[in-house]
């Protein structure tokens, strides 16, 4: 594959990823504020979160300061992201494969981090350290990620095929997502094995991306891996695999959002604006006509 | 089950029962309730009833939906469902829950982790149709196919095609009433999605667009409450009579002041009971009166329509009805110029008025609101009332109402009271925020049409009944009287029905009641036992 074609593909696929990712996240963030729907345990309560208690356990809670702690939230998220605690507790059979799958992805992300770090070190004139990262560290981290991730993905595919409860709920796209991820891991493993200078090659590709140097060519195995990984990245925001980003909203903005309404707050103004929206639900008892607002309907007398 | 149930099956063969639930498939209960032949048999639906009503989900009929006369009528409902689906994902019509709904609709990885957390699925013998993921996946596919550009094509490409037809909507309607919305499934979801919310949103679509809702929740529930003042049908005049009767009766029984102040302007506390307590368990509001008077609390009940009934069934099926009732509660407090509203022993009253309605009670309707549990805890440990815990020296276990514990995080106040006043207090397993629903949540406790009582006792309540028996396993016989403390009106109704159904008072010596009754029972000044060992 020519350097210019690879560069063109890379920019295009990366652009799709960035734009789609941002659009999707902004889309969620801009959804209107919802009614409170918290679910215990809310770990940000630093005194009671551990057993699931909330500030509502306080007599006249509105007169007391709420003690919130970021560390409680981070600890729960850390256990969930890196150790898959919910699966460990409630779906152990899937945990083994899911942990391997996600660990593989995290190692690939770490390899990308090493790439960036190596580039920074090289640019800073610490060539030896950069070369060590590219030459030794990066292939090992990427290789380990591909092996772990590949094993995990195969396990997840097998689980979906063999477990009746998973099989009936797995659509074509669920398998397609897994197979695409498997392709990333498999081509990565092949590239690491096929290219003894994998780290340097990837580093030069990274440099070419930054400098728009169309002259940098990659060995076929590495080029295939790069393209497959970028296709995966571009597809990611359109799939359920975006759950890694959605998780921020499900936990922080729904499950753990126990913020009470305060008079004069921005939250109150947002809600009041939402209640001025017209409603069109058609059941007779609602009494909507497309003009009456949510607030009008809430105040409507039910008496005949 | 002859074969695993597929998502597409919901739209096929609309006259057939999709996934029958059978008594013999249910996991056995502990002795002496373990013999299938000794268990009550389920009520048979007559052939006539099956012809008149839609009965195509599991052989149980909770909703008594009449069969339409023509195909055109069926299609009209299907079209309205599709219109409602679009409103469900619109900012104007469904801002109230749009964000959690869209997150749940778009990011499920189908890992099935939530299934075993569901007591209905687990205790049905793993009937596929009760999986939390089943109804959620049906809704997800419908949303993608019918509300998104290119949805029909994408449904085929993704292998997620589904038919929207009479079978689909009628089965979904019944299926929306096979989940108690306890949200245990949401608690275990690795991504933080909420299949309990899917149930809520489906019920809302049916109610707010098609006008379909169980008569117990709508006609005899929110509509009656808004028209007469209470979902019990109790008008303000009848309320006054009942309060007077309870005051006299409880004062005579205990020799203490059980007077209930009515409509006291400027009181510190406006107590709002679930009005069902006045009729079914008058000893509970009576116990509150004794405790609050003995502690010198400045309190009142309202006789304003709606203001004396904390019930808000809108929480279970209809956002508009929920808001209407919550506004009336807040207006009552504003009119009386009280310092705060205190919720009585009613879980869904807590959830609807303390948290769910929090963001619609703006301006001067933002009245302070708190649980009876924090008030009772303060009173019990204030030293204003003398207690003798030995009067409660019998086995006591605690049921955690989902709406108070899992949804509001009020876990410890009730435990501190029970540990202090009940020497033989023991926990169920699991408990606290990991508790199991009583099986009567989301309105089930007041729904008993056709063969639904059999289902909610035998299936949705099965886990709770087993937990109760397990908690008292060290003293299983009827000679030892035992008490299930259920500080929630709906939970009490469900537990009463379960204990009745299995004859648990006679066979195991188990009765039930609220928390306030246990507190009064332990008061030194109460000479005769307040708790009566009988089913009531």
């Amino acid at each position: 594959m020519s350097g210019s074609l690879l560069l063109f593909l890379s920019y295009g696929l990366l652009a799709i990823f960035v734009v789609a990712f941002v659009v999707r996240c902004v889309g969620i963030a801009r959804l209107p504020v919802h009614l409170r729907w918290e679910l215990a345990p809310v770990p940000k309560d630093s005194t009671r979160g551990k057993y699931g208690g909330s500030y509502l356990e306080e007599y006249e809670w509105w007169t007391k300061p709420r003690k919130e702690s970021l560390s409680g939230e981070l600890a729960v998220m850390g256990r969930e992201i890196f150790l898959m605690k919910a699966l460990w507790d409630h779906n152990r059979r899937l945990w083994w494969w899911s942990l391997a799958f996600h660990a593989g992805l995290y190692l690939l992300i770490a390899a990308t981090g090493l790439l960036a770090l190596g580039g920074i070190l090289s640019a800073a004139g610490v060539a030896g350290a950069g070369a060590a990262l590219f030459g030794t560290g990066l292939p090992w981290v990427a290789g380990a990620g591909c092996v772990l991730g590949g094993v995990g993905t195969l396990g997840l595919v097998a689980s979906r095929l063999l477990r009746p409860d998973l099989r009936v709920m797995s659509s074509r796209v669920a398998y397609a997502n897994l197979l695409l991820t498997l392709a990333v891991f498999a081509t990565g493993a092949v590239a690491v094995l096929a290219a003894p200078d994998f780290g340097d090659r990837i580093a030069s590709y990274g440099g070419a991306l930054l400098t728009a140097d169309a002259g940098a060519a990659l060995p076929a195995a590495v080029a295939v891996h790069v393209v497959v990984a970028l296709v995966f990245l571009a597809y990611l925001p359109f799939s359920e695999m975006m759950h890694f980003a959605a998780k921020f909203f499900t936990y922080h903005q729904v499950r753990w959002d126990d913020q009470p309404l305060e008079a004069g707050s921005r939250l109150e103004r947002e809600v009041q604006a939402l209640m001025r929206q017209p409603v069109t639900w058609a059941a007779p008892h609602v009494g909507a006509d497309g003009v009456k607002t949510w607030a009008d309907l809430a105040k409507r007398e039910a008496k005949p | 089950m002859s074969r695993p149930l597929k998502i597409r099956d919901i739209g096929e063969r609309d006259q057939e029962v999709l996934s029958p639930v059978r008594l013999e498939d249910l996991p056995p209960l502990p002795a002496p309730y373990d013999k299938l032949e000794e268990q009550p048999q389920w009520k048979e639906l007559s052939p006539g009833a099956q012809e008149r009503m839609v009965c195509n989900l599991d052989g149980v009929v909770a909703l008594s939906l009449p069969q339409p006369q023509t195909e055109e009528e069926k299609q009209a409902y299907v079209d309205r469902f599709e219109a409602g689906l679009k409103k469900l994902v619109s900012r104007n019509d469904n801002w109230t829950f749009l964000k959690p709904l869209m997150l749940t609709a778009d990011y499920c990885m189908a890992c099935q982790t939530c299934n075993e957390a569901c007591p209905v699925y687990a205790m049905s013998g793993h009937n596929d149709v009760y999986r939390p993921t089943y109804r959620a996946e049906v809704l997800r596919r419908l949303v993608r196919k019918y509300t998104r550009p290119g949805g029909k094509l994408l449904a085929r490409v993704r292998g997620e095609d589904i038919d929207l037809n009479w079978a689909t909507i009628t089965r979904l309607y019944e299926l929306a009433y096979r989940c108690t919305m306890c949200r245990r499934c949401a608690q275990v979801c690795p991504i933080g999605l909420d299949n309990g919310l899917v149930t809520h949103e489906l019920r809302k679509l049916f109610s707010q667009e098609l006008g379909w809702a169980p008569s117990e929740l709508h006609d005899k529930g929110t509509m009656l409450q808004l028209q007469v003042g209470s979902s019990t049908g109790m008008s303000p005049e009848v309320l006054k009579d009942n309060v007077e009767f309870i005051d006299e009766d409880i004062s005579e029984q205990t020799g203490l002041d059980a007077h209930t102040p009515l409509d006291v302007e400027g009181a510190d506390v406006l107590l709002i009971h679930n009005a069902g307590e006045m009729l079914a368990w008058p000893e509970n509001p009576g116990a509150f009166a004794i405790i609050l008077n003995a502690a010198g609390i400045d309190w009142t009940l309202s006789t304003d329509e709606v203001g004396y009934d904390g019930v808000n069934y809108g929480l279970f099926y209809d956002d508009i009805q929920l808001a209407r009732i919550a506004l009336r509660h807040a207006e009552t407090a504003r009119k009386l110029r009280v310092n705060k509203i205190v919720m009585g022993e009613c879980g869904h009253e807590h959830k609807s008025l303390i948290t769910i309605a929090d963001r619609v009670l703006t301006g001067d309707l933002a009245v302070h609101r708190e649980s009876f549990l924090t008030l009772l805890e303060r009173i019990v440990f204030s030293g204003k009332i003398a207690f003798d815990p030995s009067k409660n020296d019998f086995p006591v276990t605690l049921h955690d109402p989902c709406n108070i514990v899992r949804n509001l995080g009020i876990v410890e106040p009730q435990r501190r009271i029970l540990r202090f006043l009940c020497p033989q207090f023991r926990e169920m397993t699991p408990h606290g925020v990991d508790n199991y629903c009583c099986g009567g949540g989301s309105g089930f406790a007041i729904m008993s049409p056709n063969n639904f009582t059999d289902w909610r006792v035998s299936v949705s309540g099965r886990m709770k009944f087993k937990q109760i028996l397990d908690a008292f396993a060290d003293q299983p016989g009827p000679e030892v009287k035992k008490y299930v403390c259920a500080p929630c009106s709906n939970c009490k109704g469900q537990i009463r029905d379960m204990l009745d159904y299995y004859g648990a008072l006679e066979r195991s010596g188990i009765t039930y009641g609220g928390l306030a009754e246990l507190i009064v029972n332990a008061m030194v000044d109460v000479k005769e036992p307040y708790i009566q060992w009988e089913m009531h």
Side-chain angles (χ1 to χ4, degrees):
Chain A
M1 181 180 289
S2 76
S4 54
L5 178 58
L6 182 63
L7 208 60
F8 176 75
L9 267 178
S10 301
Y11 285 141
L13 292 168
L14 280 171
I16 292 173
F17 167 71
V18 170
V19 171
F21 182 84
V22 170
V23 166
R24 197 109 194 237
C25 289
V26 169
I28 302 172
R30 292 184 63 185
L31 287 169
V33 62
H34 56 281
L35 299 185
R36 277 174 63 180
W37 195 245
E38 67 253 40
L39 183 66
V42 177
K44 70 183 176 187
D45 190 308
S46 57
T47 51
R48 310 173 190 85
K50 282 184 182 160
Y51 64 82
S54 75
Y55 62 85
L56 296 172
E57 290 191 340
E58 289 271 8
Y59 175 74
E60 296 198 340
W61 56 266
W62 55 90
T63 63
K64 316 274 170 45
R66 288 197 301 285
K67 294 173 192 160
E68 295 187 352
S69 129
L70 184 61
S71 62
E73 287 190 39
L74 291 176
V76 171
M77 287 310 291
R79 283 198 294 270
E80 195 48 58
I81 292 168
F82 295 109
L83 300 175
M84 314 278 136
K85 187 170 183 304
L87 283 183
W88 170 262
D89 288 342
H90 305 288
N91 197 352
R92 190 73 57 90
R93 282 189 295 165
L94 207 61
W95 178 82
W96 300 97
W97 306 119
S98 185
L99 184 73
F101 172 90
H102 285 91
L105 286 176
Y106 299 154
L107 285 172
L108 286 189
I109 292 167
T112 310
L114 280 181
L115 182 66
L117 182 61
I120 291 167
L121 289 173
S122 295
V126 194
L133 282 172
F134 299 142
T136 314
L138 199 148
W140 275 102
V141 174
C146 288
V147 171
L148 256 181
V151 169
T153 314
L154 285 171
L156 290 176
V157 171
S159 299
R160 290 204 177 272
L161 288 169
L162 299 175
R163 272 177 57 177
D165 62 329
L166 284 171
R167 191 169 61 237
V168 292
M169 302 299 279
S170 301
S171 61
R172 205 176 295 146
V173 74
Y175 291 107
N177 291 344
L178 284 171
L179 292 177
L180 179 57
T181 320
L182 184 62
V184 174
F185 292 130
T187 57
V190 170
V192 169
L193 291 174
D197 53 352
F198 176 80
D200 294 328
R201 291 295 193 164
I202 287 287
S204 67
Y205 164 72
L209 270 185
L210 290 176
T211 57
D213 175 9
L218 288 176
V222 181
V224 167
H225 173 59
V226 165
V227 171
V228 170
L230 289 172
V231 167
F232 171 79
L233 212 55
Y235 169 71
L236 192 63
F238 300 97
S239 75
E240 288 85 352
M241 292 186 285
M242 265 289 280
H243 67 256
F244 70 92
K247 226 165 171 166
F248 170 82
F249 298 99
T250 57
Y251 279 81
H252 293 268
Q253 295 195 353
V254 180
R255 203 190 260 204
W256 298 343
D257 175 13
D258 58 359
Q259 177 71 33
L261 192 82
E262 286 168 8
S265 62
R266 183 179 157 192
L267 184 60
E268 187 183 55
R269 288 194 296 279
E270 273 183 55
V271 171
Q272 285 171 338
L274 290 166
M275 290 200 293
R276 288 194 291 272
Q277 296 184 141
V279 176
T280 65
W281 291 104
H285 74 272
V286 174
D289 55 8
V291 177
K292 288 196 190 84
T293 66
W294 216 90
D296 295 334
L297 296 175
K299 290 173 191 158
R300 182 172 176 253
E301 280 292 317
K303 295 201 175 196
Chain B
M1 294 293 302
S2 54
R3 65 182 176 86
L5 197 63
K6 294 179 181 164
I7 301 295
R8 279 187 66 94
D9 292 342
I10 195 160
E12 294 175 0
R13 297 180 295 278
D14 71 10
Q15 295 301 315
E16 284 181 25
V17 172
L18 180 65
S19 187
V21 59
R22 289 182 293 247
L23 200 51
E24 58 269 28
D25 291 337
L26 312 184
L29 289 165
Y33 309 94
D34 53 339
K35 295 180 185 63
L36 190 62
E37 61 278 11
E38 291 179 12
Q39 291 192 19
Q41 292 303 300
W42 286 23
K43 188 192 273 186
E44 291 279 339
L45 286 177
S46 70
Q50 292 185 52
E51 274 179 29
R52 280 195 317 277
M53 298 179 298
V54 176
C55 177
N56 58 8
L57 181 73
D58 53 359
V60 177
V61 179
L63 303 165
S64 309
L65 185 71
Q67 291 279 9
Q69 301 302 308
T70 63
E71 289 302 312
E72 289 73 26
E73 201 181 337
K74 287 182 181 177
Q75 189 56 45
Y77 281 122
V78 173
D79 293 343
R80 286 173 69 178
F81 181 92
E82 189 177 340
L85 204 57
K86 288 173 179 146
K87 292 173 191 177
L88 206 61
V89 297
S90 93
R91 299 173 80 94
N92 277 12
D93 282 307
N94 196 27
W95 66 268
T96 47
F97 287 96
L98 190 61
K99 185 179 280 185
L101 175 64
M102 297 322 292
L103 287 165
T104 294
D106 285 341
Y107 297 102
C108 178
M109 299 302 291
C111 68
Q112 309 304 306
T113 302
C114 56
N115 289 334
E116 283 301 326
C118 172
V120 173
Y121 173 64
M123 296 310 265
S124 69
H126 297 106
N127 189 325
D128 279 347
V129 81
Y130 300 144
R131 290 183 192 205
T133 50
Y134 190 83
R135 73 175 70 72
E137 187 60 23
V138 170
L139 182 66
R140 276 186 198 105
R141 293 187 184 187
L142 290 173
V143 165
R144 285 194 195 120
K145 182 173 176 181
Y146 291 97
T147 73
R148 305 241 164 111
K152 288 180 181 164
L153 177 65
L154 272 176
R156 284 174 178 265
V157 172
R158 291 171 61 95
E160 294 180 344
D161 206 2
I162 186 167
D163 294 325
L164 181 56
N165 54 29
W166 177 249
T168 304
I169 68 167
T170 49
R171 285 180 178 139
L172 261 187
Y173 182 40
E174 276 287 348
L175 195 51
Y177 289 88
R178 297 294 186 277
C179 159
T180 64
M181 296 199 285
C182 76
R183 300 180 74 203
R184 265 190 127 248
C185 56
Q187 253 181 340
V188 305
C189 176
I191 302 172
L193 309 182
D194 192 340
N195 287 331
L197 176 73
V198 168
T199 296
H200 181 265
E201 297 301 285
L202 277 170
R203 291 183 181 191
K204 204 162 83 182
L205 189 166
F206 283 114
S207 175
Q208 294 180 186
E209 187 66 17
L210 285 78
W212 287 1
S215 62
E216 295 88 343
L217 298 185
H218 187 68
D219 299 327
K220 299 180 212 162
T222 58
M223 293 304 280
L224 188 63
Q225 188 174 9
L226 288 165
Q227 287 161 5
V228 177
S230 166
S231 58
T232 60
M234 186 164 54
S235 67
E237 291 311 310
V238 177
L239 168 86
K240 288 174 196 165
D241 286 347
N242 283 343
V243 167
E244 192 181 335
F245 171 78
I246 293 169
D247 285 359
E248 284 175 15
D249 194 45
I250 300 293
S251 295
E252 192 178 318
Q253 179 190 339
T254 61
L256 297 178
D257 173 15
H259 170 68
T260 299
L262 295 177
D263 299 322
V264 180
E265 287 197 22
D268 182 44
V269 170
L270 168 64
L271 179 63
I272 307 183
H273 289 295
N274 177 321
E277 300 281 335
M278 305 271 182
L279 303 177
W281 302 285
E283 65 278 7
N284 181 273
F288 268 93
I290 288 173
I291 296 166
L292 299 184
N293 291 339
I297 303 294
D298 174 18
W299 70 289
T300 188
L301 245 55
S302 167
T303 62
D304 257 14
E305 283 178 8
V306 184
Y308 54 84
D309 188 356
V311 161
N312 190 343
Y313 295 141
L315 174 72
F316 302 140
Y317 79 101
D318 191 304
D319 285 349
I320 308 287
Q321 298 292 84
L322 166 91
R324 286 173 177 159
I325 292 170
L327 286 185
R328 297 289 293 273
H329 286 145
E331 280 167 2
T332 299
R334 180 176 62 178
K335 186 175 154 193
L336 285 174
R337 294 180 292 106
V338 295
N339 175 41
K340 62 187 175 188
I341 301 175
V342 170
M343 316 294 135
E345 294 198 17
C346 175
H348 86 273
E349 177 190 355
H350 278 67
K351 184 175 168 184
S352 59
L353 203 49
I354 295 180
T355 57
I356 304 292
D358 184 54
R359 290 178 182 164
V360 295
L361 298 178
T362 60
D364 60 354
L365 289 175
V367 184
H368 298 312
R369 307 174 302 279
E370 76 173 330
S371 170
F372 74 99
L373 288 165
T374 47
L375 177 63
L376 290 186
E377 182 190 19
R378 191 174 179 87
I379 292 171
V380 165
F381 293 102
S382 68
K384 290 180 179 169
I385 300 175
F387 292 105
D388 175 5
S390 71
K391 295 170 83 173
N392 279 345
D393 194 11
F394 43 82
V396 174
T397 193
L398 174 67
H399 165 65
D400 286 302
C402 302
N403 285 322
I404 295 177
V405 181
R406 187 172 9 259
N407 286 299
L408 266 63
I410 304 176
V411 185
E412 275 298 310
Q414 57 273 46
R415 291 180 157 73
R416 285 191 281 265
I417 295 171
L418 290 175
R419 286 186 209 114
F420 174 50
L421 293 181
C422 302
Q424 295 192 53
F425 169 61
R426 74 277 310 277
E427 294 278 13
M428 294 187 196
T429 304
H431 58 267
V433 296
D434 299 323
N435 75 316
Y436 281 109
C437 174
C438 63
S442 79
F444 287 1
I446 56 157
M447 292 168 59
S448 295
N450 311 304
N451 53 359
F452 189 65
T453 303
D454 291 313
W455 184 88
R456 73 172 163 84
V457 168
S458 305
V459 180
S460 67
R462 196 173 196 82
M463 187 69 88
K464 181 53 62 180
F465 188 55
K466 179 176 181 306
Q467 275 196 296
I468 292 170
L469 297 175
D470 289 345
F472 296 130
D474 57 331
Q475 293 157 302
E479 65 285 356
V480 178
K481 299 300 180 203
K482 311 164 194 81
Y483 189 91
V484 181
C485 176
C488 165
S489 203
N490 279 305
C491 301
K492 274 196 301 199
Q494 168 73 3
I495 290 171
R496 172 196 58 203
D497 291 353
M498 286 195 294
L499 299 181
D500 260 347
Y501 194 85
Y502 293 109
L505 177 62
E506 298 76 25
R507 300 173 81 183
S508 303
I510 302 172
T511 191
Y512 72 100
L515 179 64
E517 295 91 310
L518 275 174
I519 294 173
V520 171
N521 200 57
M523 286 172 66
V524 170
D525 290 343
V526 175
K527 303 303 175 198
E528 296 297 320
Y530 193 71
I531 288 173
Q532 307 294 309
W533 296 100
E534 58 190 26
M535 289 307 289
H536 42 91

